[in-house]
Amino acid sequence: MLTEGPDLRLAEVDAERAPGRSVLAGAFALLEVLAAAEAELGLTEVARRAGLPKSTAHRLLEQLCGMGAAEHRIRGYGVGPMFGRLCEGRGRVHAWIRAAVGRPAIRLAKLSRTDVVVCVLSGSEVLVVATFAGHSARLPVVRPGTVLPSPTPPAQVLLGGDAGSPPRDVLAGVVAGRSCAAAPIHAPDGRVVAALGVLSASVGELARLRHLVLTAAAEAGRELIGFPRSL
């Protein structure tokens, strides 16, 4: 819980003064501001960036500090140890995907001689969690941690196509200036848990790569069966 007793009532009063903004939304807005900051921020600046009254920001920040989600440092506020543990938890989920998809993705990169990306849905964002270069002499054009916009093929695979549901076939388009073909990776229960894509310099290559992408995605799905925890 973020608030208890009198603090909760005060926060609710502040929420009423700012229609459409719940106490929980305000707390997460503060955490998002702190996470994006390059250094600790003073109270006034945190409140301004989060779009909250200074009094509300102060109360919520002190409560977040008490929980360990934020810290009151010498020059201002920053994220706390709990925030790091939450990020580590998300990283462990991504690690299961990377481990399961690793062998099929590496094989796909070698056979296709193109860069391969593995993407997952993180909240409402499509996040690249692994990349594999098709040529050992260069780095992939997209790095892990990149958030892909919704028009890209991996995003369409994870967010759903025109019919509003994830496809079971390959989708083509563009990612980072490269032609891309992406296919869904299905968990044992049929859910789409990741997208596997190739990035080619030539749009004409996508037809040749379609079968390789589908085969690798199916193999990655079979690899998930042996994992002890569900995704």
Side-chain angles (χ1 to χ4, degrees):
M1 294 178 60
L2 294 178
T3 54
E4 292 182 356
D7 285 338
L8 176 57
R9 289 191 292 272
L10 287 171
E12 287 174 341
V13 170
D14 285 325
E16 291 175 359
R17 293 173 183 167
R21 199 71 177 275
S22 69
V23 175
L24 187 60
F28 275 104
L30 291 169
L31 288 175
E32 187 172 0
V33 167
L34 295 179
E38 296 181 357
E40 55 263 42
L41 298 173
L43 174 60
T44 301
E45 183 62 17
V46 177
R48 184 188 69 80
R49 295 189 187 186
L52 292 171
K54 190 173 178 179
S55 59
T56 302
H58 180 258
R59 272 193 294 276
L60 290 178
L61 282 168
E62 290 304 311
Q63 291 164 25
L64 290 169
C65 287
M67 298 167 56
E71 286 182 339
H72 196 177
R73 302 171 185 169
I74 296 176
R75 297 182 179 180
Y77 292 91
V79 294
M82 177 186 285
F83 190 89
R85 290 194 295 273
L86 293 174
C87 292
E88 289 172 4
R90 189 179 76 164
R92 284 192 292 272
V93 173
H94 296 167
W96 301 336
I97 294 289
R98 287 192 295 268
V101 178
R103 284 186 296 182
I106 292 171
R107 187 178 300 114
L108 176 60
K110 290 180 178 178
L111 290 174
S112 65
R113 299 186 66 80
T114 64
D115 290 352
V116 172
V117 296
V118 180
C119 305
V120 300
L121 195 59
S122 180
S124 60
E125 296 180 334
V126 175
L127 183 69
V128 178
V129 296
T131 57
F132 304 88
H135 194 287
S136 60
R138 61 177 174 79
L139 293 173
V141 295
V142 177
R143 304 292 183 85
T146 302
V147 175
L148 298 182
S150 58
T152 57
Q156 289 177 291
V157 166
L158 292 167
L159 295 171
D162 295 335
S165 60
R168 304 190 72 88
D169 205 343
V170 173
L171 293 178
V174 178
V175 170
R178 298 291 183 94
S179 297
C180 175
I185 297 173
H186 295 269
D189 62 3
R191 289 178 300 121
V192 175
V193 294
L196 183 66
V198 292
L199 306 181
S200 173
S202 171
V203 66
E205 286 286 287
L206 295 186
R208 177 182 69 85
L209 298 175
R210 178 181 176 277
H211 176 69
L212 292 177
V213 176
L214 276 176
T215 301
E219 184 180 348
R222 290 192 293 271
E223 292 280 349
L224 291 175
I225 296 175
F227 276 66
R229 296 184 65 174
S230 60
L231 298 170

